[in-house]
Short mmCIF file of all heavy atoms in Angstrom, two decimals:
data_model
loop_
_atom_site.label_atom_id
_atom_site.label_comp_id
_atom_site.label_asym_id
_atom_site.label_seq_id
_atom_site.Cartn_x
_atom_site.Cartn_y
_atom_site.Cartn_z
N ALA D 14 131.80 84.07 112.19
CA ALA D 14 131.37 85.37 111.65
C ALA D 14 132.56 86.23 111.28
O ALA D 14 132.54 86.94 110.27
CB ALA D 14 130.49 86.09 112.67
N ARG D 15 133.61 86.15 112.07
CA ARG D 15 134.81 86.97 111.80
C ARG D 15 135.47 86.58 110.48
O ARG D 15 136.02 87.44 109.77
CB ARG D 15 135.79 86.83 112.96
CG ARG D 15 137.05 87.63 112.77
CD ARG D 15 137.91 87.66 114.02
NE ARG D 15 139.17 88.35 113.75
CZ ARG D 15 139.99 88.81 114.69
NH1 ARG D 15 139.68 88.64 115.97
NH2 ARG D 15 141.12 89.43 114.36
N GLU D 16 135.42 85.31 110.14
CA GLU D 16 136.04 84.83 108.90
C GLU D 16 135.45 85.51 107.67
O GLU D 16 136.14 85.68 106.67
CB GLU D 16 135.88 83.32 108.78
CG GLU D 16 136.72 82.53 109.79
CD GLU D 16 136.42 81.04 109.73
OE1 GLU D 16 135.55 80.65 108.91
OE2 GLU D 16 137.04 80.28 110.49
N GLY D 17 134.20 85.91 107.75
CA GLY D 17 133.54 86.51 106.59
C GLY D 17 133.62 88.02 106.55
O GLY D 17 133.05 88.65 105.64
N LEU D 18 134.33 88.64 107.50
CA LEU D 18 134.40 90.11 107.53
C LEU D 18 135.35 90.65 106.47
O LEU D 18 136.42 90.07 106.22
CB LEU D 18 134.87 90.58 108.91
CG LEU D 18 133.93 90.39 110.10
CD1 LEU D 18 134.60 90.92 111.36
CD2 LEU D 18 132.60 91.09 109.86
N THR D 19 134.98 91.77 105.89
CA THR D 19 135.90 92.49 105.02
C THR D 19 136.77 93.40 105.86
O THR D 19 136.49 93.66 107.03
CB THR D 19 135.11 93.32 103.99
OG1 THR D 19 134.25 94.23 104.69
CG2 THR D 19 134.27 92.42 103.09
N ALA D 20 137.83 93.92 105.27
CA ALA D 20 138.77 94.77 106.00
C ALA D 20 138.06 95.99 106.57
O ALA D 20 137.33 96.69 105.86
CB ALA D 20 139.90 95.20 105.07
N GLY D 21 138.24 96.23 107.86
CA GLY D 21 137.65 97.40 108.51
C GLY D 21 136.23 97.21 108.98
O GLY D 21 135.68 98.09 109.66
N ALA D 22 135.60 96.10 108.63
CA ALA D 22 134.21 95.88 109.04
C ALA D 22 134.14 95.55 110.53
O ALA D 22 135.09 95.03 111.12
CB ALA D 22 133.61 94.74 108.22
N TRP D 23 132.99 95.86 111.11
CA TRP D 23 132.76 95.59 112.53
C TRP D 23 132.18 94.20 112.70
O TRP D 23 131.36 93.74 111.89
CB TRP D 23 131.80 96.62 113.12
CG TRP D 23 132.42 97.96 113.38
CD1 TRP D 23 133.11 98.72 112.48
CD2 TRP D 23 132.41 98.68 114.62
NE1 TRP D 23 133.54 99.88 113.07
CE2 TRP D 23 133.12 99.89 114.39
CE3 TRP D 23 131.90 98.43 115.87
CZ2 TRP D 23 133.31 100.84 115.38
CZ3 TRP D 23 132.08 99.38 116.87
CH2 TRP D 23 132.78 100.57 116.63
N LEU D 24 132.60 93.54 113.77
CA LEU D 24 132.03 92.25 114.16
C LEU D 24 130.86 92.54 115.10
O LEU D 24 131.05 92.98 116.23
CB LEU D 24 133.09 91.40 114.88
CG LEU D 24 132.63 90.04 115.43
CD1 LEU D 24 132.14 89.14 114.31
CD2 LEU D 24 133.78 89.37 116.20
N ARG D 25 129.65 92.33 114.60
CA ARG D 25 128.45 92.63 115.38
C ARG D 25 127.75 91.33 115.79
O ARG D 25 127.77 90.33 115.07
CB ARG D 25 127.44 93.48 114.55
CG ARG D 25 127.97 94.82 114.09
CD ARG D 25 128.27 95.75 115.25
NE ARG D 25 127.10 96.03 116.05
CZ ARG D 25 126.35 97.13 115.90
NH1 ARG D 25 126.65 98.03 114.98
NH2 ARG D 25 125.30 97.33 116.69
N GLY D 26 127.14 91.36 116.96
CA GLY D 26 126.38 90.21 117.44
C GLY D 26 125.29 90.68 118.36
O GLY D 26 125.31 91.81 118.86
N TRP D 27 124.30 89.83 118.60
CA TRP D 27 123.18 90.21 119.45
C TRP D 27 122.63 88.98 120.18
O TRP D 27 122.89 87.84 119.79
CB TRP D 27 122.06 90.88 118.64
CG TRP D 27 121.49 90.02 117.55
CD1 TRP D 27 122.01 89.81 116.30
CD2 TRP D 27 120.29 89.25 117.60
NE1 TRP D 27 121.22 88.96 115.57
CE2 TRP D 27 120.15 88.59 116.34
CE3 TRP D 27 119.31 89.03 118.57
CZ2 TRP D 27 119.06 87.76 116.05
CZ3 TRP D 27 118.24 88.20 118.28
CH2 TRP D 27 118.12 87.58 117.03
N GLY D 28 121.91 89.24 121.28
CA GLY D 28 121.30 88.16 122.03
C GLY D 28 122.25 87.45 122.98
O GLY D 28 121.96 86.34 123.43
N LEU D 29 123.37 88.08 123.33
CA LEU D 29 124.36 87.45 124.21
C LEU D 29 123.81 87.34 125.64
O LEU D 29 123.44 88.34 126.24
CB LEU D 29 125.66 88.26 124.20
CG LEU D 29 126.80 87.76 125.08
CD1 LEU D 29 127.25 86.37 124.65
CD2 LEU D 29 127.98 88.74 125.03
N ASP D 30 123.78 86.13 126.16
CA ASP D 30 123.24 85.86 127.49
C ASP D 30 124.38 85.90 128.51
O ASP D 30 125.34 85.14 128.39
CB ASP D 30 122.58 84.47 127.50
CG ASP D 30 121.88 84.13 128.81
OD1 ASP D 30 122.09 84.85 129.80
OD2 ASP D 30 121.14 83.14 128.84
N PRO D 31 124.30 86.78 129.53
CA PRO D 31 125.40 86.84 130.51
C PRO D 31 125.60 85.54 131.28
O PRO D 31 126.67 85.32 131.86
CB PRO D 31 124.97 87.98 131.44
CG PRO D 31 123.50 88.13 131.26
CD PRO D 31 123.24 87.76 129.82
N ASN D 32 124.60 84.66 131.27
CA ASN D 32 124.76 83.38 131.97
C ASN D 32 125.87 82.53 131.37
O ASN D 32 126.41 81.64 132.06
CB ASN D 32 123.44 82.60 131.96
CG ASN D 32 122.44 83.16 132.94
OD1 ASN D 32 122.72 83.31 134.12
ND2 ASN D 32 121.26 83.51 132.45
N VAL D 33 126.22 82.78 130.09
CA VAL D 33 127.28 81.96 129.48
C VAL D 33 128.64 82.22 130.14
O VAL D 33 129.55 81.40 130.03
CB VAL D 33 127.39 82.20 127.95
CG1 VAL D 33 126.07 81.93 127.26
CG2 VAL D 33 127.91 83.59 127.63
N PHE D 34 128.79 83.34 130.83
CA PHE D 34 130.07 83.67 131.46
C PHE D 34 130.24 82.96 132.81
O PHE D 34 131.34 82.93 133.34
CB PHE D 34 130.19 85.19 131.66
CG PHE D 34 130.32 85.95 130.37
CD1 PHE D 34 129.20 86.33 129.65
CD2 PHE D 34 131.57 86.28 129.87
CE1 PHE D 34 129.32 87.03 128.46
CE2 PHE D 34 131.71 86.98 128.68
CZ PHE D 34 130.58 87.35 127.96
N GLY D 35 129.14 82.40 133.35
CA GLY D 35 129.24 81.71 134.62
C GLY D 35 129.78 82.62 135.70
O GLY D 35 129.28 83.72 135.91
N ASP D 36 130.85 82.18 136.38
CA ASP D 36 131.47 82.98 137.43
C ASP D 36 132.57 83.90 136.92
O ASP D 36 133.19 84.63 137.70
CB ASP D 36 132.04 82.07 138.52
CG ASP D 36 130.94 81.31 139.27
OD1 ASP D 36 129.84 81.88 139.43
OD2 ASP D 36 131.18 80.16 139.66
N LEU D 37 132.82 83.88 135.61
CA LEU D 37 133.84 84.74 135.02
C LEU D 37 133.26 86.13 134.77
O LEU D 37 132.05 86.29 134.61
CB LEU D 37 134.35 84.15 133.71
CG LEU D 37 135.05 82.78 133.81
CD1 LEU D 37 135.34 82.24 132.41
CD2 LEU D 37 136.34 82.90 134.63
N PRO D 38 134.09 87.15 134.71
CA PRO D 38 133.57 88.50 134.46
C PRO D 38 132.99 88.62 133.05
O PRO D 38 133.50 88.02 132.10
CB PRO D 38 134.80 89.39 134.64
CG PRO D 38 135.98 88.49 134.54
CD PRO D 38 135.54 87.14 134.97
N VAL D 39 131.93 89.40 132.95
CA VAL D 39 131.34 89.72 131.64
C VAL D 39 132.21 90.81 131.04
O VAL D 39 132.03 92.01 131.31
CB VAL D 39 129.88 90.17 131.77
CG1 VAL D 39 129.29 90.46 130.39
CG2 VAL D 39 129.05 89.11 132.48
N SER D 40 133.19 90.41 130.25
CA SER D 40 134.17 91.35 129.71
C SER D 40 134.65 90.87 128.35
O SER D 40 134.50 89.69 128.00
CB SER D 40 135.37 91.49 130.65
OG SER D 40 136.11 90.27 130.68
N ALA D 41 135.24 91.80 127.60
CA ALA D 41 135.79 91.42 126.30
C ALA D 41 136.95 90.44 126.47
O ALA D 41 137.12 89.52 125.67
CB ALA D 41 136.24 92.67 125.56
N ALA D 42 137.73 90.62 127.52
CA ALA D 42 138.88 89.72 127.75
C ALA D 42 138.43 88.28 127.95
O ALA D 42 139.12 87.34 127.53
CB ALA D 42 139.68 90.20 128.96
N THR D 43 137.29 88.08 128.58
CA THR D 43 136.79 86.73 128.82
C THR D 43 136.46 86.02 127.51
O THR D 43 136.56 84.80 127.41
CB THR D 43 135.56 86.77 129.74
OG1 THR D 43 135.89 87.45 130.94
CG2 THR D 43 135.08 85.37 130.09
N LEU D 44 136.06 86.78 126.50
CA LEU D 44 135.76 86.16 125.21
C LEU D 44 137.02 85.68 124.49
O LEU D 44 136.95 84.83 123.62
CB LEU D 44 135.00 87.14 124.32
CG LEU D 44 133.58 87.47 124.74
CD1 LEU D 44 132.96 88.49 123.80
CD2 LEU D 44 132.72 86.21 124.79
N GLY D 45 138.18 86.25 124.83
CA GLY D 45 139.43 85.77 124.27
C GLY D 45 139.79 86.42 122.95
O GLY D 45 139.22 87.43 122.54
N PRO D 46 140.75 85.82 122.23
CA PRO D 46 141.30 86.42 121.01
C PRO D 46 140.30 86.64 119.89
O PRO D 46 140.60 87.39 118.95
CB PRO D 46 142.38 85.41 120.59
CG PRO D 46 142.69 84.63 121.80
CD PRO D 46 141.42 84.57 122.59
N VAL D 47 139.16 86.00 119.94
CA VAL D 47 138.21 86.10 118.83
C VAL D 47 137.75 87.54 118.60
O VAL D 47 137.33 87.90 117.50
CB VAL D 47 137.00 85.16 119.05
CG1 VAL D 47 136.11 85.66 120.18
CG2 VAL D 47 136.19 85.01 117.78
N VAL D 48 137.83 88.39 119.65
CA VAL D 48 137.41 89.79 119.48
C VAL D 48 138.61 90.73 119.43
O VAL D 48 138.43 91.95 119.44
CB VAL D 48 136.43 90.22 120.59
CG1 VAL D 48 135.14 89.46 120.50
CG2 VAL D 48 137.06 90.08 121.97
N ASP D 49 139.82 90.19 119.39
CA ASP D 49 141.01 91.05 119.32
C ASP D 49 141.25 91.51 117.89
O ASP D 49 141.07 90.74 116.93
CB ASP D 49 142.25 90.29 119.82
CG ASP D 49 142.19 90.02 121.31
OD1 ASP D 49 141.37 90.68 121.99
OD2 ASP D 49 142.96 89.15 121.79
N GLY D 50 141.68 92.75 117.74
CA GLY D 50 142.12 93.25 116.44
C GLY D 50 141.02 93.69 115.51
O GLY D 50 141.30 94.26 114.44
N VAL D 51 139.77 93.44 115.83
CA VAL D 51 138.66 93.92 115.01
C VAL D 51 137.71 94.71 115.92
O VAL D 51 137.62 94.43 117.12
CB VAL D 51 137.87 92.76 114.35
CG1 VAL D 51 138.74 92.02 113.35
CG2 VAL D 51 137.31 91.82 115.39
N PRO D 52 137.02 95.69 115.38
CA PRO D 52 136.03 96.40 116.20
C PRO D 52 134.81 95.51 116.43
O PRO D 52 134.02 95.26 115.52
CB PRO D 52 135.68 97.64 115.36
CG PRO D 52 136.06 97.28 113.97
CD PRO D 52 137.16 96.27 114.05
N ALA D 53 134.70 95.00 117.65
CA ALA D 53 133.61 94.08 117.99
C ALA D 53 132.62 94.79 118.91
O ALA D 53 133.01 95.45 119.88
CB ALA D 53 134.16 92.84 118.68
N LEU D 54 131.33 94.64 118.61
CA LEU D 54 130.28 95.23 119.43
C LEU D 54 129.13 94.23 119.51
O LEU D 54 128.49 93.91 118.51
CB LEU D 54 129.79 96.54 118.81
CG LEU D 54 128.79 97.35 119.64
CD1 LEU D 54 129.38 97.72 121.00
CD2 LEU D 54 128.36 98.60 118.89
N LEU D 55 128.87 93.74 120.73
CA LEU D 55 127.90 92.67 120.94
C LEU D 55 126.80 93.15 121.88
O LEU D 55 127.09 93.62 122.99
CB LEU D 55 128.58 91.43 121.53
CG LEU D 55 129.89 90.98 120.88
CD1 LEU D 55 130.50 89.82 121.64
CD2 LEU D 55 129.65 90.62 119.41
N ASP D 56 125.56 93.04 121.45
CA ASP D 56 124.43 93.39 122.30
C ASP D 56 124.12 92.24 123.25
O ASP D 56 123.95 91.09 122.81
CB ASP D 56 123.18 93.66 121.44
CG ASP D 56 123.16 95.06 120.89
OD1 ASP D 56 123.93 95.31 119.95
OD2 ASP D 56 122.38 95.89 121.40
N LEU D 57 124.04 92.55 124.55
CA LEU D 57 123.56 91.53 125.48
C LEU D 57 122.05 91.41 125.34
O LEU D 57 121.37 92.32 124.86
CB LEU D 57 123.96 91.88 126.91
CG LEU D 57 125.36 91.36 127.29
CD1 LEU D 57 126.45 92.19 126.63
CD2 LEU D 57 125.55 91.34 128.80
N PHE D 58 121.51 90.27 125.78
CA PHE D 58 120.12 89.96 125.49
C PHE D 58 119.14 90.98 126.06
O PHE D 58 118.05 91.17 125.51
CB PHE D 58 119.77 88.56 126.03
CG PHE D 58 119.39 88.55 127.49
CD1 PHE D 58 118.06 88.71 127.87
CD2 PHE D 58 120.34 88.40 128.49
CE1 PHE D 58 117.71 88.72 129.20
CE2 PHE D 58 119.99 88.41 129.81
CZ PHE D 58 118.67 88.57 130.18
#
């Protein structure tokens, strides 16, 4: 999804299940570099 963003656009997502994080914290850092440098906002389920 990030590949298709125009400059300044927000990376939006929805339906994120906290179970995917397992024992790791539900945090932006856990998602890694994919959300770095762009305004990312993800709705949990």
